[in-house]
């Protein structure tokens, strides 16, 4: 981070805000249609995302600067938007189109055709009246074949290419049809994965004795950014619960050692922000004591594997954690300004601001130009803009070398050999060892893949992928593959000993389309488009998701090896339950829309139980990370909601055709579609 001491608290609050989006103005993208400049009425979707619908006749749509070099513009694809960009789209199919523009650090745009002749929203979804449903199933199942509704357990026999069944009363008109006599287990496919993302600290507390590690303390107020006690033992104790949801992969927040102290949270510095989320690493070779012991990690992975659940680590290659008063004091790096020690208690981390200050004001105590900062990571390791460290450029100018939220940016692109970071040379405990000829990326890859080789971690969810050069990701993947093979050879009795490594990446704003990232180590990317374009509509009724289902299935069919991971809620976007004011019917609808979607899917902890938005302070994302609402699971309405997620999740888990198969609509009333992959085939019906 780039401190600017001494500054007023108000300026410090601006400079040191953490992970708070800047409210963007409307997109400044010139739009011309057949040479005529348009004045679109932008619809804000979020602080930095906008949409507009355009009626396009035959001709040329031009986006961007007139005199710039032309670039082709393709529907559905995500195009990076840079200053001076120009995109040309030849309209050969007149009609209505939706233009989506994201501003800010990850500026991009996409053009989506709007299906012509679609019915108004108010006519698209009608409540099921409780009657039996007649469903056409010809060309999927044969006459005389007995089918089972996986939701209710009821069966019916195909006659004249149709069946008739009454959905379960609590299903919302949903039928999940499979062959009643099918007992063969289908081979698993990552395109059909159900990944459960648990923010470990906020999920379940299995060992209260580790809650106050490194002197971390609660703030006694709303506990927005403090550690809450969730740990690896807590995750292990909930594996049966996850298995019942049909989960086959558990993504956990990075459990390796984080900064020990806190930084000011939000743009107002109104709460102490610890690294409870795992994104402010201190030592990649050690588990954070708040997460538990290495024995706890081995037990978690062994018990998860025994239940058919893979364990994915969240990993960060882009940046290290902030410096904190606690770590400066403990590891003797950096320096205070002359005379500032008298304003600090014996334990520096216990410092409190004056009544006229906020928590960002601790930066005023620190001399960021002092040569003792060489004792931290060192200028060969990170760009930080302090002392003689190189200053990172703006991420808008250089997304690979820029600093995100003033975090120290690893110099992963450098081919220069480096020694071990100075503070790690004296830190205990650590497994970090000085290596001859190692570059920054070599150390990081060795440290991260240690958890694969020694513990059997099954895959990575990679953070901030677009801010690290693809070659470094490819290098990490190569090392992870080797580590996975080594672990498999050493643990031949483990059920996943022969299973390859898997890696999914976060490229903020990326949709389901193919990209070069998947040629550089990634099996899939997170699909941000689902949350924006499908989740809400599909939760109303599945018919409204059909166009996207068709598109997703076609992408998978047309691009062998392609995959993406769709989600509806996350820790740094929004909670679906908050968007819909806790509407449990919508939360049930989300289960169907997400779990029946082609491609891998991700459930954010509490999606299945309508976990509510928590205290957030001046950082709007903190509320998405509230504690798991275990106490509410016994309430009849929440228990019924969870049961709905279980039934649909278990159906998906049995049938790889749902995520990986072809998609074909069978009827409009009732809405029904078929999915098929090889001999695995299912039909989904919703009577709306």
């Amino acid at each position: 981070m780039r401190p600017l001491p001494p500054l007023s608290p108000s300026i410090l609050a601006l400079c040191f805000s953490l992970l708070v989006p800047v409210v963007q103005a409307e997109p400044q993208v010139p739009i011309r249609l057949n040479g005529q400049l348009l004045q679109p009425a932008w619809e804000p979707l979020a602080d930095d995302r906008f949409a507009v619908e355009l009626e396009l006749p035959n001709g040329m749509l031009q986006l961007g600067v007139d005199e710039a070099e032309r670039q082709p513009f393709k529907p559905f694809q995500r195009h990076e938007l840079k200053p001076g960009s120009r995109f040309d789209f030849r309209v050969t199919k007149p009609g209505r189109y939706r233009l989506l523009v994201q501003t800010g650090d990850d500026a991009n745009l996409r053009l989506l055709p709007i299906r012509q002749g679609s019915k108004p929203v108010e006519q698209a979804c009608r409540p099921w009246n409780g009657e039996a449903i007649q469903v056409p199933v010809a060309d999927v199942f044969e006459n005389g074949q007995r089918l089972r509704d996986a939701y209710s357990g009821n069966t019916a026999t195909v006659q004249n290419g149709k069946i008739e069944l009454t959905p379960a009363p609590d299903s919302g008109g949903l039928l999940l049809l499979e062959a009643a006599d099918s007992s063969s287990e289908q081979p698993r496919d990552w395109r059909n994965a159900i990944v459960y993302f648990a923010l470990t600290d906020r999920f379940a507390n299995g060992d209260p004795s580790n809650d106050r590690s490194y002197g971390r303390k609660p703030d006694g107020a709303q506990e927005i950014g403090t550690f809450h006690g969730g740990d690896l033992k807590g995750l292990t104790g909930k594996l049966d619960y996850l298995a019942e949801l049909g989960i086959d992969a558990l993504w956990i927040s990075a459990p390796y050692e984080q900064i020990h102290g806190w930084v000011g949270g939000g743009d107002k510095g109104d709460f102490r922000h610890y690294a409870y989320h795992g994104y402010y690493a201190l030592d990649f070779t050690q588990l954070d004591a708040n997460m538990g012991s290495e024995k706890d990690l081995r037990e978690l992975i062994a018990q998860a594997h025994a239940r058919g659940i893979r364990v994915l680590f969240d990993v960060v290659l882009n940046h290290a954690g902030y410096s904190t008063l606690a770590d400066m004091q403990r590891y003797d790096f950096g320096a205070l300004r002359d005379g500032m020690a008298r304003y600090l208690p014996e334990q520096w981390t216990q410092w409190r601001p004056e009544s006229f200050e906020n928590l960002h004001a601790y930066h005023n105590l620190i001399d960021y130009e002092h040569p003792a900062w060489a004792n931290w990571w060192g200028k060969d390791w990170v760009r930080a803009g302090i002392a003689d460290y190189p200053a990172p450029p703006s991420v808008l100018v250089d997304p690979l070398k820029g600093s995100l939220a003033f975090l120290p940016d690893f110099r992963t692109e450098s081919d220069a050999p480096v020694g071990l970071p100075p503070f790690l040379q004296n830190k205990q405990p650590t497994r970090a060892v000085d290596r001859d000829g190692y570059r920054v990326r070599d150390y990081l890859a060795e440290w991260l893949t240690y958890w694969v080789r020694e513990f059997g971690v099954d895959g990575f969810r990679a953070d901030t992928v677009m801010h690290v050069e693809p070659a470094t990701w490819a290098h990490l993947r190569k090392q992870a593959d080797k580590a996975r093979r080594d672990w498999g050879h050493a643990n031949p009795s483990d059920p996943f000993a022969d299973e390859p490594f898997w890696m999914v990446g976060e490229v903020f704003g990326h949709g389901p389309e193919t990209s070069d990232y998947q040629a550089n180590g990634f099996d899939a990317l997170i699909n941000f488009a689902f949350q924006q374009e499908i989740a809400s509509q599909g939760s109303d009724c599945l018919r409204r998701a059909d166009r996207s289902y068709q598109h997703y299935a076609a992408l998978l069919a047309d691009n062998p090896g392609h995959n993406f991971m769709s989600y509806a809620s996350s820790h740094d976007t929004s909670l679906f339950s908050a968007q819909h004011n806790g509407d449990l019917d919508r939360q049930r609808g989300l289960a169907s829309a997400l779990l029946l979607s082609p491609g891998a899917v991700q459930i954010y902890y509490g999606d299945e139980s309508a976990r509510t938005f928590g205290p957030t302070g001046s950082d709007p994302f903190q509320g998405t990370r509230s504690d798991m609402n275990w106490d509410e699971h016994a309430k009849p309405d929440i228990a019924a909601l969870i049961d709905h997620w279980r039934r649909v999740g278990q159906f998906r888990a049995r049938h790889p055709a749902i995520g990986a198969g072809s998609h074909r609509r069978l009827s409009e009333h009732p809405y029904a579609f078929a999915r098929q992959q090889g001999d695995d085939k299912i039909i989904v019906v919703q009577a709306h």
Side-chain angles (χ1 to χ4, degrees):
M1 53 187 171
R2 176 60 178 173
L4 302 170
L7 297 174
S8 70
S10 61
I11 295 178
L12 280 166
L14 173 64
C15 291
F16 296 101
S17 59
L18 303 178
L19 306 177
V20 176
V22 177
V23 177
Q24 304 288 337
E26 288 187 350
Q28 301 300 307
V29 182
I31 303 176
R32 289 179 174 83
L33 179 60
N34 294 329
Q36 297 296 312
L37 185 65
L38 304 182
Q39 300 293 332
W42 292 103
E43 172 194 356
L45 303 178
D47 288 341
D48 59 352
R49 290 189 289 277
F50 301 85
V52 65
E53 290 191 7
L54 303 171
E55 186 72 43
L56 301 182
N58 283 316
M60 179 64 70
L61 178 70
Q62 177 191 317
L63 306 170
V65 182
D66 190 42
E67 63 271 14
E69 181 179 351
R70 299 181 181 184
Q71 301 178 57
F73 191 49
K74 299 180 180 180
F76 297 109
Q77 292 193 14
R78 175 184 178 277
H79 296 267
E80 187 176 359
L81 182 61
K82 296 180 179 179
S85 298
R86 172 179 170 177
F87 302 93
D88 287 354
F89 173 57
R90 174 72 64 180
V91 183
T92 58
K93 295 183 178 180
R96 292 193 66 76
Y97 290 75
R98 184 170 174 84
L99 177 65
L100 299 171
V101 177
Q102 178 165 325
T103 60
D105 292 348
D106 185 25
N108 63 80
L109 43 77
R110 286 188 293 148
L111 189 68
L112 305 176
I114 297 175
R115 183 183 175 195
Q116 301 303 301
S118 60
K119 296 181 179 179
V121 171
E122 61 269 16
Q123 297 181 20
C125 301
R126 296 188 297 270
W128 171 52
N129 61 13
E131 295 181 350
I133 303 172
Q134 195 172 78
V135 186
V137 298
D139 301 327
V140 182
F141 296 108
E142 299 177 354
N143 282 332
Q145 191 168 3
R146 195 151 190 84
L147 305 186
R148 175 177 55 239
D149 169 25
Y151 200 101
S152 66
N154 295 331
T155 62
T157 301
V158 181
Q159 296 180 343
N160 299 319
K162 299 178 181 179
I163 66 159
E164 185 172 297
L165 273 171
T166 301
D170 54 351
S171 70
L174 190 67
L175 294 174
L176 307 174
L177 300 178
E178 59 189 0
D181 57 356
S182 177
S183 58
S184 60
E185 186 173 338
Q186 297 292 332
R188 182 182 178 276
D189 193 315
W190 269 107
R191 294 171 294 178
N192 195 54
I194 308 177
V195 180
Y196 193 92
F197 173 26
L199 198 62
T200 307
D201 176 67
R202 306 298 170 89
F203 190 63
N205 191 346
D207 182 5
S209 70
N210 61 32
D211 290 359
R212 301 290 173 252
S213 302
Y214 314 114
R216 295 167 178 157
K217 296 182 181 298
D219 61 23
Q222 293 182 302
E223 309 297 350
I224 295 170
T226 59
F227 277 82
H228 288 193
D231 50 30
L232 299 172
K233 274 190 176 181
L235 289 167
T236 303
K238 298 298 183 182
L239 288 173
D240 286 340
Y241 168 81
L242 297 179
E244 290 172 359
L245 287 170
I247 304 302
D248 59 0
L250 171 61
W251 155 19
I252 65 173
S253 49
Y256 39 77
E257 189 174 356
Q258 302 293 301
I259 57 173
H260 294 180
W262 51 266
V263 291
D267 59 349
K268 296 181 180 179
D270 50 342
F271 60 91
R272 283 176 172 76
H273 191 343
Y274 290 88
Y276 68 87
H277 47 39
Y279 295 121
Y280 302 160
L282 179 75
D283 186 345
F284 292 89
T285 74
Q286 297 294 307
L287 285 180
D288 193 278
N290 264 79
M291 296 296 101
S293 68
E294 293 184 357
K295 180 181 178 182
D296 297 337
L297 179 60
R298 292 190 190 280
E299 183 69 7
L300 168 64
I301 292 176
Q303 292 297 326
H305 286 186
R307 292 163 173 79
I309 299 174
R310 295 137 190 89
V311 177
L312 313 179
F313 267 21
D314 210 329
V315 298
V316 182
L317 276 181
N318 177 68
H319 56 264
Y322 298 103
S323 64
T324 68
L325 290 171
D327 297 315
M328 288 174 63
Q329 184 176 26
R330 180 165 184 171
Y331 297 113
D332 194 26
F333 59 74
L336 300 176
R337 290 185 177 279
D338 289 343
M340 291 296 108
R342 68 179 183 271
Y343 295 109
L344 285 168
E346 182 179 353
Q347 295 297 318
W348 294 0
T349 194
Q350 296 175 9
W351 172 86
R352 294 180 179 275
E354 299 292 341
S355 59
F356 55 86
E357 296 177 316
N358 63 38
L359 290 165
H360 293 308
Y362 81 88
H363 294 287
N364 285 321
L365 306 172
I366 300 173
D367 181 358
Y368 284 107
E369 300 305 324
H370 198 282
W373 282 101
N375 298 329
W376 190 31
W377 284 94
K379 64 181 181 180
D380 295 331
W381 269 83
V382 298
R383 283 172 283 266
I386 59 174
D388 63 347
Y389 284 62
S394 165
V395 289
L396 295 175
V397 175
D398 190 338
L400 296 179
K401 297 179 181 178
S403 172
L404 292 175
F406 299 95
L407 286 156
D409 188 70
F410 281 130
R411 302 180 68 179
T412 50
E413 81 290 345
S414 174
D415 286 324
V418 296
L420 203 63
F423 85 95
L424 280 178
Q425 294 175 16
N426 302 311
K427 177 183 179 292
Q428 289 298 327
T430 187
R431 289 190 179 87
V433 177
D434 210 342
R435 305 288 194 191
D436 288 340
Y438 263 34
R439 303 159 295 181
V440 170
R441 62 179 173 269
D442 296 319
Y443 282 103
L444 293 172
E446 177 181 288
W447 296 342
L448 289 171
T449 58
Y450 164 79
W451 304 104
V452 180
R453 178 175 287 104
E454 296 299 322
F455 294 86
V457 170
D458 301 282
F460 290 157
R461 177 271 186 186
D463 183 64
T464 55
V465 168
M466 68 179 296
H467 298 291
V468 177
E469 58 283 344
T472 294
W473 290 119
H475 176 68
L476 176 67
R477 176 57 186 267
K478 182 178 179 180
Q479 297 303 308
D481 284 340
K482 183 178 185 303
R484 180 67 180 186
R485 291 192 295 271
D486 291 347
W487 174 80
H489 292 324
N491 297 272
S493 62
D494 189 278
F496 296 154
D498 296 327
E499 195 168 282
F501 195 75
W502 193 74
M503 194 156 81
V504 58
E506 177 220 29
V507 179
F508 208 89
H510 203 286
E513 288 76 26
T514 59
S515 75
D516 291 340
Y517 288 108
Q518 287 164 288
N520 287 278
F522 290 97
D523 298 286
L525 295 181
I526 293 174
N527 173 25
F528 286 77
F530 186 95
Q531 183 189 52
Q532 298 175 19
E533 300 163 15
I534 303 173
S536 183
Q537 293 195 46
S539 72
D540 196 5
C541 65
L542 293 177
R543 180 186 291 109
R544 299 183 64 192
D546 189 76
R547 284 199 306 273
S548 295
Y549 284 173
Q550 291 182 33
H551 175 50
Y552 286 10
L555 282 171
L556 296 173
D558 295 343
N559 300 280
H562 180 52
N563 196 5
F564 43 85
M565 187 169 77
S566 300
Y567 76 96
S569 301
S570 84
H571 59 316
D572 52 14
T573 55
S574 62
L575 281 184
F576 185 88
S577 64
Q579 289 179 314
H580 295 278
N581 299 313
D583 185 333
L584 296 188
D585 287 337
R586 279 301 185 100
Q587 210 75 18
R588 292 168 67 90
L590 173 64
S592 304
L594 179 64
L595 294 173
L596 297 173
S597 184
V601 298
Q602 172 230 300
I603 300 173
Y604 187 38
Y605 75 106
D607 273 349
E608 76 280 11
S609 56
R611 176 174 59 87
T612 57
F613 193 80
T616 205
S618 61
D619 180 343
F621 297 125
Q622 295 296 327
T624 67
R625 307 160 188 177
S626 56
D627 289 339
M628 182 64 171
N629 58 335
W630 296 113
D631 291 345
E632 296 183 337
H633 283 209
K635 294 180 179 179
D637 54 352
I638 300 298
L641 173 64
I642 295 171
D643 185 61
H644 177 78
W645 281 79
R646 284 174 178 155
R647 296 191 200 198
V648 183
Q650 290 173 8
F651 179 64
R652 179 186 176 100
R654 286 197 301 275
H655 295 288
I658 294 174
S662 60
H663 176 91
R664 179 161 55 99
R665 186 192 295 197
L666 300 178
S667 70
E668 180 69 19
H669 297 289
Y671 170 70
F673 66 78
R675 299 266 174 83
Q676 184 165 357
Q677 182 192 36
D679 61 357
D680 184 33
K681 48 192 177 182
I682 59 92
I683 292 175
V684 171
V685 186
Q686 191 174 42
H688 273 293

